[in-house]
Amino acid sequence: MNTNSQYAATVLRLSLGIMYLAHGLLKLIVFTPEGTSGFFASVGLPAFFGPLTMAVEIGAGIALILGIYSRWVAAALIPVLFGSIVLVHGASGWLFSNQGGGWEYPAFLIAASVAQFLLGDGAFALKRSKSDAAAAQAA
């Protein structure tokens, strides 16, 4: 992968990391763990999925920002996002600004996460996947 591609992957990784971290912190600080649990229960999901999702978003966001196995972290978030579309946002239509939040934003995050998986860790990653480390040494 050329240097520009490495930097592009880094910009994507940082952007995704910030977004996932912000969404997890929103659930923690603004909605609170209790409120998040209550919301998940209100849409028919087990209440413990709320704090679990919050922890996953915060942990994954930090991992992406730092560049810790970014390819695999991005891939692991895809099922969570599909779940948010199927179980929560899908019934609200396309636009995320719709009542209940539509599915356009989670769909975009899926596409960006797939792109991150395909691109790899990018430059300045702390812990690279073996294939990404080999490619970086070859460049």
Side-chain angles (χ1 to χ4, degrees):
M1 188 182 301
N2 70 40
T3 304
N4 285 340
S5 297
Q6 287 288 320
Y7 292 145
T10 301
V11 170
L12 178 61
R13 186 186 84 222
L14 292 172
S15 300
L16 279 172
I18 291 166
M19 292 309 299
Y20 286 120
L21 180 60
H23 278 261
L25 290 175
L26 176 71
K27 289 175 180 70
L28 176 66
I29 296 167
V30 176
F31 301 142
T32 74
E34 296 79 19
T36 302
S37 293
F39 172 76
F40 275 67
S42 77
V43 296
L45 296 170
F48 76 89
F49 276 13
L52 179 63
T53 301
M54 177 178 28
V56 166
E57 289 175 342
I58 292 170
I62 291 169
L64 286 167
I65 291 167
L66 295 176
I68 300 172
Y69 297 117
S70 308
R71 179 185 299 263
W72 303 109
V73 169
L77 289 164
I78 294 168
V80 175
L81 292 162
F82 270 121
S84 78
I85 291 172
V86 172
L87 301 171
V88 181
H89 298 292
S92 299
W94 168 250
L95 293 176
F96 200 67
S97 60
N98 290 351
Q99 179 73 24
W103 57 276
E104 74 171 310
Y105 188 64
F108 174 79
L109 287 176
I110 289 170
S113 295
V114 168
Q116 186 71 62
F117 174 77
L118 294 171
L119 287 170
D121 299 306
F124 314 113
L126 291 183
K127 188 72 173 167
R128 296 174 183 266
S129 305
K130 288 181 183 181
S131 60
D132 291 327
Q137 286 180 348

